[in-house]
């Protein structure tokens, strides 16, 4: 396993490097530039701005300088729109917010989704199964851009229980609606995957053998059925976790949380390519990291898997 982890890391580093290079080239190939505005900038001013940020250098030199800055100082460079702020500062300001509600959404989605899917499979074709499937379908057809205004309508405008926007690390009232709005659709997907996987495992030979030996049903479910049934769920959890902790644009924009999703949208609208690059690299690095963690969890859950 240790050798496998080293091999994956050896592959991950050049993969991340290629991601940076291709993203940089795509940003460079996009029409316009970071200082392109509706009102044309004087040629001398534009030349001075490009010289200040090194945009007048050859493309290969810009890429080398950018990669070297990341490797040596973990520096994503200055923002093109906010001269007094670096990309690191912008990400550091928004990422803790997104990480907080994303992590809570992940926990909510996994706990409720797995419990709902497992209960539906164990009590197949009962009222509990129909209720769980109904909840899953209802949650699936309500994406976060629909769920968010419904929550505000109910809990803010009608009941007045929760604030309709903003963020505070010290007041959980600000967390509740972003967490529910982000985690609901993921919870529905996890419940559906768990139910179908659990049904398949419950009909397998080793479960019939366990029941034939007279083992208690609770032990059959918890010890012999649940663990292998979670393998497809874990495959889904890797990219889902990255999507949650890197934020949802809808959640950040609708609830004004100030998370990293808002920074990404603002950077796209303002042509702040440096911030877009920083967020892209962050998402890519997290995706590679959690893909590795999922593979390690595979071997831990199923001892038959060897790398």
């Amino acid at each position: 396993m240790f050798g496998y982890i080293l091999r994956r890391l050896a592959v991950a580093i050049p993969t991340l490097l290629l991601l940076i290079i291709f993203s940089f080239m795509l940003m460079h190939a996009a029409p316009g530039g970071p200082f392109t505005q509706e009102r044309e900038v004087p040629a001398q001013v534009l030349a001075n701005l490009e010289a200040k940020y090194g945009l007048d250098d050859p493309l290969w030199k810009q890429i080398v300088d950018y990669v070297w800055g990341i490797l040596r100082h973990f520096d994503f460079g200055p923002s093109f729109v906010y001269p007094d702020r670096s990309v690191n500062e912008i990400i550091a300001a928004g990422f803790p917010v997104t990480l907080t509600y994303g992590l809570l959404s992940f926990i909510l989605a996994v706990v409720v989704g797995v419990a709902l899917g497992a209960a539906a499979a164990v009590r197949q074709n009962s009222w509990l199964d129909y209720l769980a499937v109904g909840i899953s379908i209802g949650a699936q057809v309500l994406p976060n851009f629909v769920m968010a205004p419904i929550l505000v309508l109910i809990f803010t405008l009608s009941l007045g229980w929760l604030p309709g926007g903003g963020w505070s690390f010290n007041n959980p009232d600000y967390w509740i609606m972003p967490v529910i709005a982000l985690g609901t659709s993921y919870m529905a997907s996890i419940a559906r995957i768990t139910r179908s996987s659990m049904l398949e495992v419950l009909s397998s030979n080793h479960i019939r053998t366990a029941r034939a030996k007279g083992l208690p049903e609770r032990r059959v479910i918890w010890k012999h059925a649940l663990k292998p049934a979670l393998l497809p769920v874990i495959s889904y959890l890797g990219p889902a976790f990255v999507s949650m902790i890197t934020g949802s644009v809808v959640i950040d924009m609708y609830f004004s949380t100030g998370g990293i999703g808002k920074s990404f949208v603002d950077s796209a609208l303002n042509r702040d390519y440096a911030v877009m690059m920083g967020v892209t690299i962050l998402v890519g690095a997290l995706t590679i990291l959690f893909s590795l963690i999922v593979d390690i969890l595979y071997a831990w859950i199923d001892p038959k898997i060897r790398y």
Side-chain angles (χ1 to χ4, degrees):
M1 176 60 73
F2 184 70
Y4 172 75
I5 294 175
L6 289 180
R7 289 196 300 274
R8 285 293 301 268
L9 289 176
V11 174
I13 293 172
T15 302
L16 190 58
L17 186 62
L18 288 174
L19 171 69
I20 296 173
I21 294 174
F22 278 114
S23 300
F24 197 99
M25 295 175 68
L26 286 175
M27 297 283 179
H28 188 271
F35 307 113
T36 302
Q37 300 176 2
E38 293 183 3
R39 184 177 179 181
E40 190 173 351
V41 179
Q44 186 58 47
V45 175
L46 182 61
N48 291 338
L49 287 171
E50 290 182 345
K52 177 182 177 182
Y53 292 99
L55 300 179
D56 56 346
D57 292 331
L59 179 59
W60 67 268
K61 187 174 186 308
Q62 293 181 42
I63 295 175
V64 170
D65 291 343
Y66 186 74
V67 174
W68 181 245
I70 295 175
L71 295 178
R72 189 175 181 184
H73 304 292
F74 199 67
D75 182 13
F76 293 98
S79 167
F80 292 145
V81 175
Y82 306 102
D84 56 339
R85 300 185 70 187
S86 67
V87 176
N88 294 47
E89 291 174 343
I90 293 174
I91 292 177
F95 189 58
V97 175
T98 309
L99 180 63
T100 301
Y101 75 71
L103 189 60
L104 292 174
S105 301
F106 179 77
I107 295 172
L108 172 72
V110 171
V111 172
V112 178
V114 170
L116 208 59
V122 172
R123 299 285 183 246
Q124 187 184 16
N125 296 328
S126 68
W127 68 268
L128 183 59
D129 184 20
Y130 298 141
L131 177 64
V133 172
I135 293 174
S136 301
I137 294 174
Q140 191 79 62
V141 299
L142 291 175
N144 50 24
F145 61 86
V146 176
M147 181 65 77
I150 291 176
L151 292 174
V152 171
L153 186 65
I154 296 174
F155 293 105
T156 301
L157 299 180
S158 297
L159 301 176
W161 290 353
L162 298 172
W167 182 263
S168 171
F169 284 105
N170 300 320
N171 189 351
D173 288 349
Y174 289 91
W175 308 353
I176 296 175
M177 287 197 291
V179 167
I180 295 175
L182 180 60
T184 304
S185 59
Y186 290 100
M187 180 272 293
S189 299
I190 292 172
R192 288 191 300 104
I193 297 171
T194 304
R195 180 181 180 275
S196 60
S197 177
M198 194 77 172
L199 286 174
E200 184 178 347
V201 172
L202 288 175
S203 62
S204 59
N205 291 332
H206 76 279
I207 295 298
R208 281 196 289 268
T209 303
R211 285 171 171 163
K213 288 181 178 179
L215 294 178
E217 185 65 16
R218 179 175 298 179
R219 186 176 179 185
V220 172
I221 299 299
W222 283 99
K223 188 172 182 180
H224 299 283
L226 187 58
K227 208 171 176 181
L230 289 179
L231 282 175
V233 180
I234 290 176
S235 300
Y236 174 78
L237 291 184
F241 184 63
V242 175
S243 299
M244 288 184 181
I245 65 171
T246 52
S248 165
V249 172
V250 174
I251 300 300
D252 284 334
M253 299 299 290
Y254 199 87
F255 292 108
S256 301
T257 58
I260 201 171
K262 183 179 184 304
S263 301
F264 189 75
V265 172
D266 289 344
S267 65
L269 295 176
N270 296 326
R271 296 176 179 271
D272 196 347
Y273 297 149
V275 175
M276 293 176 66
M277 280 292 301
V279 176
T280 302
I281 294 169
L282 175 65
V283 174
L286 290 175
T287 302
I288 294 172
L289 173 63
F290 284 99
S291 296
L292 174 61
I293 292 175
V294 165
D295 288 343
I296 295 173
L297 285 177
Y298 265 178
W300 176 68
I301 288 180
D302 189 353
K304 292 183 293 184
I305 297 177
R306 289 287 182 270
Y307 296 109

